[in-house]
Amino acid sequence: MPKILGSVDPVSFIRHFPGVQTSSEYDSGIHINGCDNSHNFISVGGVPVYGANHLFGFFSIFNPVHYGQMSFSSSAERSNRLGGSLTMSLPDTLKKKISGEINTGIMSSEGTLGFRIGRHSNLKVSARQSYMNLLYKRWLKIGGSPIRYGFGDYNLTWLYSKGNDKIWIDAYYGKDKADIMESHLNLSLSADWGNLIGAVHWEHNGNTLRHRHSLFYSRYHSNAGITQDKSYMSLNSYIGNIGYKFGLDWKKFRFGLDASFYDIQPQVPEIHGPYGSDGITDEVLKGFEVSADIGYKTEFADNWEIEAGCRGSMYISPENRCFWGASPNIALNFNAYRFGKIRASYALNHQYLFQTGLSNIGLPIEFWLPAGKYSKPQMSQNIELSYKGEFFRNALAVSASVYYKKLYNQIEYHGDLLDFFTTVYDLDSHLLKGRGYNYGLNLMIHKQTGDITGWISYSTGRARRQFDHPDYKGIYPANHERIHELNAVCTYKFRKWNFAATAVYASGAPFTAPESYYISSGQIITEYGDHNACRMRPYFRLDLSVSYCIIKNDRQENGVNVSLYNATARGNDVMYRISTDRNGTYSYGPMSFFLKLVPSISYYHKF
């Protein structure tokens, strides 16, 4: 993959796959086959991650050098999720000597060091720190309002390997901090958010029996403060998860057991103003979830293979309500050998967590909710038919799939940030509840060998939502829906040079436009039109990258990478906003990303 902004980011990588909808620079989510970002199971070694991206979606929290590999699936059948899965695997091989990699760019620097401890273990540590404010300060603005922003990621993994057993002790800590000034509205936002993950894993690999145990803790927090005139509002939330996971593979069978305790504080505003304070006592919601699954896979009649399984789950809500769910899944594969493989599958899935908030622009104004008093657990029925084939001695791969998903008990946040200052806050009144329908077609052709490699993919689909609310009587597109999307990825190796490019063209995302807005007591009051009835202009972006290897031998490798993000400098719409000029004139219109063309140069050294 191309090194864009000096790094090969795993989450940015999968956004070029068919069925994974493109996110704008202010949407850091992953939308797979029309599902919401929170429908995906994102994990490190099987440990759930609840905030996987930094601001703007340029970087995920995953330092790719630290991990062994990445696995991605458009389904998450072995977890209580409705969407897909992305798993970063922990390093699983012992190093014979000290090794590492350093990558220094103009946005951030990262380093990884691994070394042996005794005969059977080694330690791997990684760190990444941004310094965008140093070189990009004059361009870090949203609609003319300045931003101060920085992030850091820190990993530590200890591996013990002897015989058939492996033990990992893994830890991650990440943090973001941002300050945004909206001088024309007399409004400022300061926020910090991040993840803390700790886990112990044990894996045993026998001849016919393989089992794995994980004990973990994962926490994501967000703290935001908003100041307007003489009023100050804080928006704080977090989700904490203590859990145990067990997995066993024996011959053609697989078994699994998950247990999780949740400690969740939804986002509630606390307002301090010249006339006193108006706040809601922090609402901490506790829940318990346990699941057990079994699966079987076998071949029959030479060309046929069947996979079947069922996941049973029980969830106890903060109100001590008990929910049960059975999630069967079945897939039938037909192997036509040199002509490819055909797969038909059905799955019913349950999910007991929700994520919602004011927007999806990557700021910590989205938060998690457990099922219970706000909504029943989510559920989906999924049907998919797919084809995969490889031709010309595996040089060319072709794939196609059609899917249909019916979603139950969906929620969507509606409201405005400034509503917190002008209305009495009630979370339940800000939630739209209903159902959804996702369906579409995904196509891909992939050149896998030779000096020139890459793929072209095309996706078309709809993500529709229907709400049980008297003011929302129609069927509306989901916030992230892009009806058409075309992706192209190409890399070319020539001696010490590596050239690469990625391009994406996608339909515009929907948004809700206001019909009118007016000023009352210094506040902007907005009256909105039909929900998601308008669309932004089509999205197009071309990224270019070139790397030159200076030295490469058995001891070291170093080189230079130069890249251009959005090489055509196209001003893609990321949102519509109400703004005012210095004369106090208000206007409403599209806003593009503050950096239309983002150049980057970095130096890397491996040893």
Side-chain angles (χ1 to χ4, degrees):
M1 279 292 295
K3 278 189 174 182
I4 305 299
L5 304 179
S7 177
V8 179
D9 185 71
V11 174
S12 299
F13 178 84
I14 68 170
R15 286 184 182 137
H16 294 288
F17 287 179
V20 183
Q21 291 169 302
T22 291
S23 302
S24 72
E25 285 78 6
Y26 287 172
D27 182 355
S28 55
I30 308 172
H31 308 291
I32 302 172
N33 287 346
C35 285
D36 295 340
N37 178 57
S38 61
H39 290 160
N40 305 313
F41 182 71
I42 302 176
S43 70
V44 173
V47 177
V49 177
Y50 296 102
N53 288 281
H54 295 297
L55 187 64
F56 309 134
F58 278 152
F59 303 98
S60 70
I61 67 170
F62 306 122
N63 184 344
V65 180
H66 187 86
Y67 300 99
Q69 64 180 14
M70 177 188 73
S71 60
F72 168 76
S73 174
S74 60
S75 64
E77 295 174 353
R78 299 194 66 176
S79 63
N80 290 327
R81 293 291 193 275
L82 308 185
S85 63
L86 170 67
T87 299
M88 304 301 297
S89 300
L90 298 176
D92 60 356
T93 56
L94 295 176
K95 300 293 184 180
K96 295 182 180 180
K97 57 181 181 179
I98 296 177
S99 62
E101 180 172 340
I102 298 172
N103 196 327
T104 301
I106 59 177
M107 274 193 175
S108 65
S109 291
E110 57 193 48
T112 299
L113 178 65
F115 51 91
R116 196 72 170 262
I117 302 177
R119 295 179 56 189
H120 302 291
S121 68
N122 62 249
L123 183 68
K124 194 171 189 179
V125 293
S126 299
R128 176 169 58 181
Q129 185 64 49
S130 74
Y131 34 79
M132 296 176 64
N133 297 305
L134 294 179
L135 299 176
Y136 286 89
K137 182 178 180 179
R138 62 176 298 182
W139 297 287
L140 284 174
K141 296 180 180 180
I142 295 180
S145 301
I147 308 171
R148 290 187 58 83
Y149 174 67
F151 68 84
D153 299 299
Y154 312 95
N155 298 82
L156 183 148
T157 303
W158 177 77
L159 167 65
Y160 175 86
S161 178
K162 184 177 181 181
N164 295 329
D165 295 284
K166 293 180 180 179
I167 298 175
W168 292 266
I169 297 178
D170 182 62
Y172 166 80
Y173 172 69
K175 63 177 182 179
D176 291 65
K177 184 174 179 58
D179 296 285
I180 302 174
M181 299 294 298
E182 285 275 11
S183 57
H184 299 312
L185 297 177
N186 294 321
L187 185 146
S188 64
L189 168 69
S190 61
D192 65 87
W193 65 100
N195 291 272
L196 175 64
I197 300 173
V200 179
H201 308 273
W202 170 42
E203 180 178 282
H204 175 82
N205 290 282
N207 294 329
T208 60
L209 186 69
R210 175 180 178 269
H211 59 84
R212 182 183 176 103
H213 306 259
S214 299
L215 183 64
F216 65 86
Y217 174 73
S218 179
R219 188 179 192 271
Y220 172 76
H221 79 275
S222 63
N223 303 310
I226 302 171
T227 302
Q228 186 180 41
D229 295 327
K230 297 180 180 180
S231 298
Y232 172 78
M233 177 176 64
S234 62
L235 289 169
N236 303 324
S237 67
Y238 66 81
I239 176 171
N241 181 193
I242 299 175
Y244 167 77
K245 303 184 67 148
F246 166 73
L248 185 147
D249 295 303
W250 176 68
K251 296 183 178 180
K252 297 181 179 181
F253 292 89
R254 60 171 174 81
F255 304 89
L257 176 68
D258 295 353
S260 288
F261 293 91
Y262 296 107
D263 186 17
I264 302 174
Q265 179 186 307
Q267 196 173 74
V268 292
E270 184 176 349
I271 301 175
H272 303 273
Y275 303 106
S277 299
D278 181 14
I280 301 175
T281 303
D282 292 343
E283 182 182 26
V284 179
L285 306 176
K286 299 181 182 295
F288 173 69
E289 178 184 326
V290 62
S291 304
D293 66 84
I294 182 172
Y296 180 75
K297 181 179 180 180
T298 187
E299 298 177 355
F300 64 96
D302 295 331
N303 299 79
W304 295 89
E305 180 182 74
I306 188 169
E307 303 173 46
C310 186
R311 183 179 182 89
S313 57
M314 182 192 73
Y315 169 75
I316 300 176
S317 75
E319 303 80 30
N320 290 323
R321 296 177 61 188
C322 187
F323 297 94
W324 299 82
S327 304
N329 61 84
I330 186 169
L332 187 64
N333 304 312
F334 175 74
N335 191 346
Y337 297 104
R338 63 189 182 94
F339 296 106
K341 295 181 179 180
I342 299 174
R343 176 184 176 90
S345 64
Y346 167 81
L348 188 152
N349 295 326
H350 293 80
Q351 181 169 332
Y352 302 102
L353 292 176
F354 298 83
Q355 188 181 31
T356 188
L358 285 164
S359 72
N360 53 1
I361 65 173
L363 289 171
I365 46 180
E366 300 87 41
F367 55 93
W368 290 86
L369 282 174
K373 72 175 184 178
Y374 294 110
S375 177
K376 295 179 180 179
Q378 301 180 72
M379 188 175 70
S380 72
Q381 296 192 72
N382 317 314
I383 300 174
E384 185 172 359
L385 178 65
S386 62
Y387 166 81
K388 292 182 180 180
E390 294 182 334
F391 306 95
F392 306 111
R393 297 182 179 179
N394 299 332
L396 196 67
V398 178
S399 64
S401 67
V402 291
Y403 65 89
Y404 176 80
K405 290 191 174 188
K406 188 172 183 179
L407 311 174
Y408 305 86
N409 301 325
Q410 300 299 289
I411 66 172
E412 189 172 302
Y413 196 94
H414 73 107
D416 189 279
L417 178 64
L418 299 179
D419 290 344
F420 291 140
F421 291 98
T422 58
T423 61
V424 177
Y425 180 77
D426 175 34
L427 175 58
D428 192 59
S429 66
H430 284 75
L431 297 178
L432 297 175
K433 304 173 185 180
R435 62 204 66 86
Y437 314 89
N438 301 343
Y439 52 89
L441 166 69
N442 302 316
L443 303 172
M444 180 175 178
I445 182 169
H446 183 192
K447 188 178 184 297
Q448 304 181 127
T449 61
D451 293 333
I452 298 178
T453 59
W455 67 80
I456 296 176
S457 67
Y458 169 73
S459 300
T460 180
R462 303 303 301 265
R464 313 291 279 171
R465 300 294 182 263
Q466 188 174 10
F467 304 110
D468 302 324
H469 192 286
D471 295 334
Y472 296 81
K473 297 181 180 180
I475 299 178
Y476 307 95
N479 293 335
H480 56 269
E481 182 193 73
R482 295 183 185 269
I483 302 175
H484 301 282
E485 182 167 334
L486 181 68
N487 278 276
V489 177
C490 181
T491 62
Y492 171 59
K493 294 182 180 180
F494 176 73
R495 297 179 181 176
K496 290 187 175 184
W497 296 87
N498 191 330
F499 302 92
T502 64
V504 57
Y505 180 86
S507 301
F511 70 97
T512 304
E515 291 185 336
S516 62
Y517 53 91
Y518 54 91
I519 308 298
S520 176
S521 301
Q523 306 288 346
I524 299 179
I525 308 300
T526 307
E527 298 290 340
Y528 288 95
D530 291 340
H531 183 68
N532 282 348
C534 301
R535 284 189 179 271
M536 300 180 192
R537 294 175 298 174
Y539 182 95
F540 174 76
R541 195 184 78 241
L542 173 68
D543 302 333
L544 301 175
S545 170
V546 57
S547 297
Y548 177 75
C549 182
I550 301 172
I551 299 175
K552 185 176 183 180
N553 52 43
D554 295 337
R555 294 179 302 171
Q556 63 175 328
E557 176 185 348
N558 58 52
V560 177
N561 170 262
V562 178
S563 69
L564 288 175
Y565 180 90
N566 195 20
T568 62
R570 177 182 171 88
N572 290 301
D573 298 342
V574 294
M575 68 174 70
Y576 274 66
R577 68 193 295 265
I578 298 173
S579 59
T580 180
D581 59 23
R582 297 183 181 276
N583 297 322
T585 302
Y586 287 86
S587 62
Y588 180 76
M591 186 182 72
S592 60
F593 189 51
F594 59 87
L595 294 174
K596 291 186 178 180
L597 173 66
V598 188
S600 175
I601 183 170
S602 63
Y603 169 81
Y604 66 89
H605 182 82
K606 304 178 184 179
F607 58 92

